[in-house]
Amino acid sequence: MNQAMIIGTATSIAKHVSLTGAKLLVALPVDPDHRKREGDPIIVFDKLGAGVGDVVLISSDGSYTGKEILGTRTTPGRWGVIGIIEQRKKDRNE
């Protein structure tokens, strides 16, 4: 498990059938203080409602990502959001 900051969203036209309808986010692994990056950006799957600016807990447990997030064990999806640590403050106009 790692902490990461959501820095964007991703879309895909051509994808594995198990990824149809999945929410794709771009996550940047960060240190526990959320100040220093700990690696390169990665694509994560989300069903908890994380958004850009949120600090989340991610896992590379493919069986959790497949079964719990994507609904199938036969998927190439690897990284998934398993918790939201800190949500960005939402603008009242959103």
Side-chain angles (χ1 to χ4, degrees):
M1 289 185 288
N2 297 336
Q3 288 186 30
M5 179 173 287
I6 303 300
I7 59 172
T9 60
T11 57
S12 173
I13 295 171
K15 58 188 150 227
H16 189 271
V17 68
S18 68
L19 306 180
T20 301
K23 181 178 176 185
L24 303 170
L25 299 172
V26 181
L28 181 64
V30 294
D31 70 345
D33 293 330
H34 316 145
R35 296 175 190 227
K36 208 164 74 170
R37 67 186 286 171
E38 296 267 310
D40 295 324
I42 55 176
I43 300 294
V44 297
F45 299 94
D46 173 57
K47 75 171 191 177
L48 298 179
V52 174
D54 291 352
V55 177
V56 297
L57 189 60
I58 58 174
S59 174
S60 65
D61 181 356
S63 62
Y64 174 82
T65 300
K67 183 179 174 191
E68 299 297 325
I69 297 175
L70 301 173
T72 180
R73 290 181 184 230
T74 56
T75 182
R78 178 175 178 189
W79 287 93
V81 175
I82 61 172
I84 299 175
I85 297 171
E86 182 179 317
Q87 286 189 308
R88 71 190 192 294
K89 293 184 180 180
K90 295 184 179 180
D91 185 6
R92 291 183 183 181
N93 296 326
E94 286 186 65

